Each structure stands twice: as structure tokens, then as C-alpha cells.
Amino acid sequence: MSEEGAVSRNKPDLSALPDLGQQIVHDELSLLRGVHARLDRDAKNDPDKIEDLDAQLIELRDAIAEAKEEDVPSLIDQMHQVAALSRKRGSGRSIPVDPNNPYFGHLRLREGRTGGVRDVLIGRHTLLDEGDGVTIVDWRNAPVSRLYYRYEEDDDYEEEFDERTLEGKVLVRRSLAVQDGILRRVASPQGTYALDGRQRFQETVGSAKPTLQGGSGQAARATSTQPAGQLGVHSDESQLRADKHLQEITALIDKQQFDLITRSDSGIVLIQGGAGSGKTTVALHRVAYLAFQDAKRFMPSSMLIIVFNEGLVEYIRHVLPSLGVEGVNVTTYRRWSAQALGKMKLRVEQRYTGATPDVVQRFKKHALVLKMIDALVVEQLEDIRESLVERIGEDPAGAEVLKAWDATASMPPVVRAERLIKWLGEGRGAELPPKVKAAATTVARSAREQMRDFVGDWLELNTTAARIRDGIREHAPNDFTDADIGTITRWCARKADLEVETPEQLAPEGAGLDAEDDAILLRLMQVKYGGIFVNNKRIEYEHIVIDEAQDLCPLEVRVLLDTASKGKSVTIAGDRAQKMVFDNGFVDWPQLLGDAGLPHVEIQPLKVTYRSTRQIMQFSRHVLGPLADEDQVVARDGAEVSYFEFTDTGEAVAFLGEALRGLMQREPNASVALISRYPQQADIYYEALRIAEVPRLRRVRREDFSFTAGIDITDVRQVKGLEFDYVVLLEPTRQNYPDHVQSRHLLHIGATRAAYQLWLLGVGQRSALLPEDMIGELP
């Protein structure tokens, strides 16, 4: 018997709970003891147990034929579980249930036809009922798991399982936290009950269904009375996790999220959701679900997750293994595109400039570049056909060559040229008159070289001023001034200096690629070759996740989409209100989708916000103003948002230092983010608080969050997609957050990183974006 299992059998103190709470927790403790007893027995009787899944399917089939009617639903469900395991692993060893974290959900069902009652536990691995009443089903494959995600307690259910309708009633639906074999939390409609550091269960306040988005503790908290001007809302520090990477989120997925996760493995799913609505949760669980359903197709190495920043990369790399998926490439778009180009032998040096003018960045991110690329290639293809007509058009046999060329019109240009060369050498073209054949072959070989040279196309697009001017005037006449066009053409003309004849040759000092050139080069290769090829192998993914897509430009989204395999299995997630990049041309989803070649993709909205409290979301909606989504629903209540005003930074630091020292003493597992507008301001507060001897202080400069308890000081551009227990926005003044769209987005992003409590510390004239009646009562 493991030490963890022994601890789980200890009886915690339930005396602080109301009678109903005691009954619920006692019920769950009894179930957990039963599970551990079963796991102990299995381990003792057959530690190297191998499950013959095929034999089990035959036994279950025979049992169903002879079973009583009331036993059939349970047997059918077990048969589904075994069949799914068989598909997943073939005949062989079953992955054992982890006794330290065996399950996270509990259903008690009354079968409609028989009236029989049974308990079903929801986990990540399957444990079949062997007559002891213990059944654990895998959330990713068991039909009965749908009931957990689609129905609430006291709901009548009706589901079709293999052309058989199962009906009944959900008597109990609870989410649970079992860690190290110990029941630590029970969330039910009747209340949420959590184990404190003294092995006592307490009733908590908050949502029973919070959703983790990036580094927080639990959303439910123990009841407390918060003194005015005090940072921290937890009466017991054990309610917060020291490890901020992940809590049990699979148990907390709602019906809408579950339906998105389990959608068909083909097609594009676009999820629009506000801060804390579970966009990233859905996307990651969809990766886990697909990998389980079809392990051969959706291997980790065949999936790609693109996120906005390095902080999210680090977070997701820790989340995915807990969902049963390891080895997925998680990266940012910039890193992915630079690595892809780095594997190619380009005749331009892959060195980047950091001085690209804003208007050039805006131009290269504009959807018009997609149209300019397509126009250039169409122009080249027309020139090839004209060359064929000019060389062989008067010969009667030339008609056959033109017919062969036109027959490949749906293929990528490089493939078309190669097909024509092959046809002329081995097919019907080999029988043409020598003169016609020779002329056509010359044109075809020249066409192949031209079509392969996508770097030359990139230089053409950059260095031909007339092409740039014509493209802007045709496709975006109102988006750039004449002065803008002059700046663009002058800057782009310098790209000619990047061309080198040998790998050892260096471009002149001062020249360099713009970061946005990666997408242009990759898109040109895709259009010319029909994909991105490295060492003659196409870069292709069976499933792609594009997170925070509103901060990519249409060209970047199109490049990513065209690396998807034939099934086009893609999940796109984003939020209009959390824009961080303001020069990429994003206005709304229909516009982005149209520009990226996806005009008919349906947008799936997530309307419920689980992360932040009602008070925080009310504040953020005020900040967003006309940009706010009024349909957003907030799951839980919390502490009031507080604004404290000071005459100078020193006074603010003294107040904040005292508050943080007290918080770290009361709640050592808390995660706190002090968020400034600019990095220089974060430096000032870090140095001042360090001198004030505030403990566990970290200055985060390059998204290098540790996701552990403590105090991170950073600027607002570092925190996109992350979550903290407490957030303090530093100096939200008119200077730092003037009244314009960009400030609304940034202030909203900073505020909605907070799960429980939000403070604002003002030094100077407050931003006009803040509510006028905001004031904090100093202690």
C-alpha cells in the first residue's frame, strides 16, 4: 500500500461543514476509499496485469446477450470503453489508473427504463466494473462521459449510443480534486467544500466550475471578511496552489466547451471568447481528444500549436503532458517561421533588422500583399503561356503542347512545369516533331527555374517601386498616403542588398530582413510549390492550433492554414477585445477569415467568463467601452476593484510594499502580478520594492515567468494569455493609458489577468478610461 493511499484513508475533520456538506463529502470519501481498495487489490493480485482487450469484448458481447434489461446499459458502456482502448492501443497492456489522481468527476445516474442507480467516475484512464461497483471511464472516449459535460444535476438525459437511446436522470454531478491520493475539494450545486492545511473541510465561496487559463490557483476560495485596503481574499493559504502551472481543469469543462472539443477531426473550428472564457482550455483539450481518438493520425509530432508569446509556450508545454500528450511543437509564429526558413538554403542572408518603419510593417502585414503575390504568379504563368504560343503556336503540333499545359491549371506552378517537362520526355509529347518538342522543352525548363525561384519573387515584390505603388492603389487606396508609399518603396528597395551568391558571402552592414518578410517568403513558396518544402519534404500538420489569432495578420494565418494536411483539422482561438498588435489590419473575424481564404467558417462564441470575478469584468467592460462584448456572462462574485491615489511613486511604493509583505505572510502560495505600462516603470518599482525588502520578488523582462507562487513585476505586453491570483496595475494615468483604442485593449488585458482581486495604484492624473467613481479606502 502506497504512502499516499494510506494518507487518503485518514478521516479528515468534517465538523465545520453543514449537515448536507458533511453528507456529500462523506459520500465522496467512501467512493475514493473503494477505488483505492480496488487498485490495491489489483496491484497485489496481479502487479503485471495484462488486459486482453479482444477477449474482454467477446465476454461483454456474450454477457449483453444474456443480461437482464437493467444491466444492459452498464455493459454497453463498458463495451464502448474496451473498444476505444483497443483502437487506441491494440491488444496489449492497459494504461493503469493513477491512485494519486484516479478521477476528477462523479455522476450518479438513474436509468430511465429500469430505475436502477449506478455511480460513474470520470477520469483519464478506464477501470471497468468487476462487480464491486467501481467504474472509472475515460473522458475522451466513453459515451457516458458526454453526460458529465452535457447535463447538470437533476437533469433528465437522453443520448443516442450506437442507434440505442439511453434515458434517465442525473442524480449527482460533482467535480473533484484528488491530489496525492487525498480528496482535497468537492464542488457540487449544493456547495463547494475544500480541505485546509489542518485537514479540515471548509465550505468555500466562488464558482464550482472555474476554468484555468494560465497560472492561477483555484477559483473557489474559503469564506473570509476582507479588511478595507488589504490585498488578499483567502482566509486559508492552502486554498492556493504553489504550483501555478495547472490545476484539474478537465473536470471543469462546460457543455459548450465539450461540444467544441469533440467536434469532427476535419474542418476549421474558430472560437471567439472573452478573457477567461476557456479558449485555450478548449484548444488544448481538443488536441488531447484528437490524439486519443486517432493516435496514428494525430501523433504529437504531427501537430502544431502557435501561441502569442513565450510565456504561453512555457505554460502549455507543462499542461499538455498532464492531458496525456507529449512532444507537440508549441511555439510562437515568429520562431516557427524563422526556423522553417533557416532550414532552407536561401540566397538571402537570414539576418533581421530591428529598425523597420511602422508604415512598412503595416504594409507587409496588410491583406493586399496576398493579392500582390497571387497577381505576380498569375502574371508569370501568363508569360509562360505566351512564350509557348510564340515559340510553337504556329505549328499544328503546338496545340497539343498548349492543351497539356492548360490541363494542369489547378496544380502549383512548379508542378505544372515539371509535369510538362515529363510529358515532353516520356508521354505523348515525346512523339511530337523534334522542333516543337525542343522549343517547348526549352520554355518548360526556363519556366521551372523561374517558378522555383520564390526568393527572386520576394526581391521583385520588394524592390520594384512601381509594383508596390500599383498594388497599394489597386487594393488599398485609402490605407496609405503618398508619403507612406514613398517610405515603403525606399525601405524595401534596400532588400536588394541582401542577395548573396554564396552562403559565405555576407550582406552589407545595415541591411536585413524585416520580421514580416518570413511570411511573404513562405507564402511565395506555398503558392509556387504547393507547400513549404524542406529537403524535398513538405511541412505538414494533421492538426494546427492558432491561439490569439487576432494578433496575427491574414498572410500569417494563411501560411499556417496551408500547412494543414488534406483533412484541414484546425482550431483557431481569439478575442477581439484582447488585441495586442495594432498594425496587422485586424478588424473582425469575418474580415480576417475572408482575407485568409476562409469566408464561410462559422464563428463559435464562448459567452461565459470563469477566470475573473464580476467586479473585475465590470471594470474591464467599462475600460473597453464600445469595444466590449455585452453578451459575456460572468460566473462568480468577488472582491471590489480598488483604486488608490498617491502624490508620488515613493508613497505608492511604501503602501504597496506593506500590502505585499502582509500578503506573502498570510498567503505564501499566492501569485501576484504588478503590471506597468512600460518596462522602465517596472524597473523602478522592482528596485524600490527590493529595497523595501518585499519577499519573493521577480522582475520578468522576456516572458520568462516561473509559474510559481510569488510576485512578478512586468509590463502589460508580457502577460497576454496568463493568469494570476492578484493583479496590481501600476500608474494607470492619462499619460500611460490615453483615451484611444490601443489603451483600451491593453488596460483590459492587464485587468483580466486577475482571478480574485484587482488593485490600481495611481500616481498622477488618472486615465479617462477609468470609472470616475473609483476610489479605494486606505487602511
Side-chain angles (χ1 to χ4, degrees):
M1 173 65 195
S2 67
E3 181 181 348
E4 292 85 354
V7 173
S8 72
R9 286 191 167 89
N10 292 340
K11 292 185 178 180
D13 184 359
L14 309 184
S15 60
L17 299 179
D19 291 345
L20 180 58
Q22 291 188 34
Q23 179 182 338
I24 289 172
V25 175
H26 182 270
D27 186 25
E28 296 303 333
L29 287 169
S30 297
L31 278 171
L32 182 58
R33 281 194 291 270
V35 169
H36 278 137
R38 164 70 183 281
L39 295 175
D40 289 346
R41 187 170 63 251
D42 287 350
K44 181 179 180 180
N45 293 339
D46 194 353
D48 298 317
K49 181 178 180 181
I50 302 292
E51 292 189 330
D52 186 341
L53 301 177
D54 290 338
Q56 287 192 38
L57 284 171
I58 294 172
E59 290 177 9
L60 287 167
R61 182 197 64 193
D62 295 342
I64 289 170
E66 302 173 359
K68 297 178 182 180
E69 183 178 0
E70 60 266 25
D71 295 329
V72 169
S74 177
L75 291 170
I76 288 177
D77 195 58
Q78 290 193 48
M79 195 167 183
H80 273 287
Q81 297 168 46
V82 176
L85 288 170
S86 181
R87 289 194 301 271
K88 170 72 174 174
R89 294 185 286 274
S91 296
R93 191 183 188 96
S94 173
I95 295 176
V97 171
D98 180 4
N100 292 323
N101 183 17
Y103 55 88
F104 53 74
H106 174 205
L107 287 176
R108 183 168 293 148
L109 307 174
R110 177 183 289 128
E111 304 289 353
R113 295 181 180 178
T114 67
V117 175
R118 62 177 176 134
D119 288 299
V120 179
L121 305 174
I122 314 296
R124 290 200 177 91
H125 300 297
T126 297
L127 186 69
L128 301 178
D129 187 357
E130 293 185 349
D132 52 9
V134 176
T135 300
I136 303 176
V137 300
D138 193 313
W139 75 273
R140 296 164 293 188
N141 73 275
V144 74
S145 68
R146 300 183 209 167
L147 306 183
Y148 180 80
Y149 291 110
R150 292 179 176 175
Y151 296 90
E152 300 296 336
E153 192 165 298
D154 290 329
D155 281 354
D156 294 322
Y157 66 84
E158 180 178 344
E159 288 285 334
E160 294 285 338
F161 296 153
D162 288 346
E163 300 182 357
R164 180 185 178 92
T165 301
L166 296 185
E167 300 175 347
K169 187 180 184 69
V170 179
L171 301 179
V172 167
R173 184 197 181 282
R174 299 168 187 160
S175 66
L176 314 163
V178 181
Q179 297 167 6
D180 297 326
I182 300 172
L183 181 67
R184 298 189 180 276
R185 180 173 55 83
V186 180
S188 71
Q190 295 78 23
T192 300
Y193 315 103
L195 189 69
D196 67 16
R198 293 176 289 278
Q199 297 302 302
R200 297 181 306 179
F201 268 94
Q202 297 186 40
E203 186 168 12
T204 67
V205 296
S207 170
K209 293 175 64 178
T211 297
L212 184 67
Q213 277 294 97
S216 79
Q218 302 174 65
R221 60 183 174 85
T223 307
S224 68
T225 55
Q226 180 199 9
Q230 177 174 297
L231 187 62
V233 296
H234 290 265
S235 63
D236 182 73
E237 62 89 13
S238 67
Q239 297 299 310
L240 288 171
R241 293 166 51 88
D243 176 9
K244 303 300 177 177
H245 273 113
L246 181 67
Q247 71 171 14
E248 180 54 75
I249 55 178
T250 309
L252 309 174
I253 295 166
D254 64 27
K255 176 183 182 299
Q256 186 185 16
Q257 294 170 337
F258 182 73
D259 288 345
L260 289 173
I261 289 166
T262 56
R263 286 213 166 191
S264 168
D265 58 13
S266 295
I268 296 171
V269 176
L270 191 150
I271 306 164
Q272 155 66 35
S277 62
K279 301 181 298 298
T280 305
T281 295
V282 169
L284 298 186
H285 279 75
R286 182 158 168 74
V287 168
Y289 176 80
L290 293 173
F292 185 87
Q293 294 297 318
D294 190 345
K296 290 184 178 179
R297 176 183 172 191
F298 295 105
M299 295 183 296
S301 60
S302 69
M303 294 192 281
L304 173 70
I305 300 177
I306 295 291
V307 298
F308 178 72
N309 56 29
E310 294 295 339
L312 269 175
V313 170
E314 168 70 11
Y315 170 65
I316 291 174
R317 282 177 178 166
H318 280 76
V319 171
L320 281 176
S322 70
L323 298 180
V325 184
E326 296 189 58
V328 177
N329 184 11
V330 184
T331 185
T332 63
Y333 178 83
R334 288 279 176 263
R335 178 171 291 189
W336 174 83
S337 62
Q339 288 177 345
L341 285 176
K343 295 175 182 177
M344 304 173 192
K345 296 180 180 179
L346 304 180
R347 68 171 200 266
V348 292
E349 184 187 357
Q350 195 180 2
R351 179 163 53 85
Y352 296 90
T353 176
T356 310
D358 292 343
V359 67
V360 176
Q361 293 179 3
R362 184 161 58 89
F363 162 69
K364 292 192 175 185
K365 292 178 180 179
H366 201 287
L368 75 90
V369 175
L370 278 165
K371 297 176 181 177
M372 290 177 64
I373 290 171
D374 290 342
L376 174 63
V377 175
V378 167
E379 181 182 312
Q380 291 173 347
L381 289 170
E382 290 175 348
D383 288 344
I384 292 168
R385 198 179 192 284
E386 288 179 6
S387 296
L388 286 171
V389 171
E390 182 180 340
R391 298 289 297 272
I392 60 174
E394 296 181 359
D395 193 299
E400 288 193 55
V401 178
L402 293 174
K403 184 178 179 181
W405 172 254
D406 293 340
T408 60
S410 62
M411 298 177 182
V414 170
V415 177
R416 293 185 70 184
E418 290 174 344
R419 287 290 182 90
L420 183 58
I421 292 171
K422 186 175 182 179
W423 181 83
L424 288 166
E426 302 175 11
R428 169 71 182 91
E431 301 173 6
L432 294 175
K435 183 178 179 181
V436 172
K437 178 184 173 183
T441 300
T442 299
V443 174
R445 287 176 176 168
S446 175
R448 181 175 61 182
E449 293 308 307
Q450 182 184 28
M451 289 301 154
R452 286 176 172 174
D453 187 14
F454 65 93
V455 175
D457 298 332
W458 172 78
L459 288 166
E460 167 75 11
L461 288 173
N462 270 283
T463 59
T464 308
R467 187 178 291 277
I468 293 173
R469 291 192 188 94
D470 291 345
I472 291 175
R473 287 165 182 165
E474 180 179 356
H475 302 296
N478 301 317
D479 293 349
F480 300 92
T481 66
D482 289 340
D484 290 339
I485 295 173
T487 300
I488 293 167
T489 55
R490 286 192 297 273
W491 178 266
C492 289
R494 299 172 60 190
K495 302 306 171 191
D497 295 337
L498 287 173
E499 187 172 13
V500 295
E501 294 181 1
T502 65
E504 294 78 18
Q505 186 179 349
L506 295 178
E509 188 67 30
L513 290 171
D514 303 319
E516 296 74 22
D517 284 323
D518 284 2
I520 299 174
L521 282 161
L522 292 174
R523 183 58 191 162
L524 280 163
M525 188 179 198
Q526 286 179 327
V527 173
K528 288 294 194 72
Y529 282 78
I532 299 171
F533 288 84
V534 176
N535 297 324
N536 295 320
K537 183 178 180 181
R538 187 176 188 269
I539 295 179
E540 184 174 270
Y541 303 98
E542 291 297 334
H543 186 73
I544 302 172
V545 173
I546 307 174
D547 197 26
E548 304 293 357
Q550 74 278 355
D551 285 324
L552 293 179
C553 70
L555 179 57
E556 293 164 340
V557 173
R558 187 61 181 270
V559 167
L560 289 170
L561 290 175
D562 279 9
T563 61
S565 64
K566 188 176 180 180
K568 285 288 182 188
S569 181
V570 180
T571 302
I572 301 175
D575 178 19
R576 295 183 298 265
Q578 295 188 71
K579 244 176 98 63
M580 187 71 81
V581 177
F582 300 94
D583 61 356
N584 63 348
F586 177 87
V587 177
D588 211 336
W589 295 116
Q591 166 262 336
L592 175 65
L593 293 172
D595 289 340
L598 300 170
H600 305 300
V601 172
E602 182 181 359
I603 301 168
Q604 308 294 332
L606 292 177
K607 292 295 186 181
V608 182
T609 293
Y610 294 107
R611 178 199 299 148
S612 300
T613 64
R614 175 182 59 82
Q615 290 82 354
I616 293 170
M617 294 308 297
Q618 281 182 341
F619 168 80
S620 70
R621 277 202 284 260
H622 179 91
V623 166
L624 285 173
L627 306 176
D629 182 357
E630 296 300 328
D631 294 333
Q632 202 74 17
V633 178
V634 184
R636 61 193 174 89
D637 234 19
E640 295 296 328
V641 176
S642 297
Y643 176 84
F644 303 101
E645 198 164 58
F646 303 92
T647 56
D648 59 51
T649 300
E651 185 184 2
V653 167
F655 169 76
L656 184 57
E658 183 178 350
L660 292 171
R661 286 192 297 268
L663 175 66
M664 288 292 100
Q665 184 176 7
R666 292 189 309 275
E667 301 182 25
N669 285 340
S671 63
V672 186
L674 310 184
I675 304 175
S676 68
R677 174 64 181 87
Y678 298 105
Q680 296 85 348
Q681 295 164 336
D683 289 338
I684 292 171
Y685 274 85
Y686 173 75
E687 290 301 325
L689 290 170
R690 185 179 60 81
I691 293 171
E693 297 185 341
V694 173
R696 302 164 78 182
L697 209 59
R698 298 182 292 253
R699 175 70 177 94
V700 178
R701 293 181 172 84
R702 294 180 179 85
E703 303 168 359
D704 50 341
F705 294 93
S706 65
F707 297 101
T708 57
I711 303 166
D712 292 318
I713 305 182
T714 190
D715 62 278
V716 70
R717 290 190 173 274
Q718 305 282 318
V719 297
K720 179 76 168 289
L722 304 181
E723 177 181 321
F724 304 87
D725 298 321
Y726 307 118
V727 166
V728 180
L729 295 178
L730 302 172
E731 302 189 13
T733 62
R734 289 181 182 270
Q735 181 179 4
N736 290 330
Y737 296 96
D739 187 0
H740 57 56
V741 169
Q742 181 173 341
S743 293
R744 290 186 186 275
H745 284 291
L746 294 176
L747 198 52
H748 163 73
I749 288 169
T752 53
R753 301 311 94 196
Y756 309 123
Q757 190 178 15
L758 174 64
W759 276 11
L760 294 88
L761 264 62
V763 178
Q765 192 173 18
R766 73 169 67 179
S767 170
L769 301 178
L770 305 185
E772 292 183 1
D773 58 351
M774 280 195 68
I775 191 165
E777 183 180 347
L778 293 174

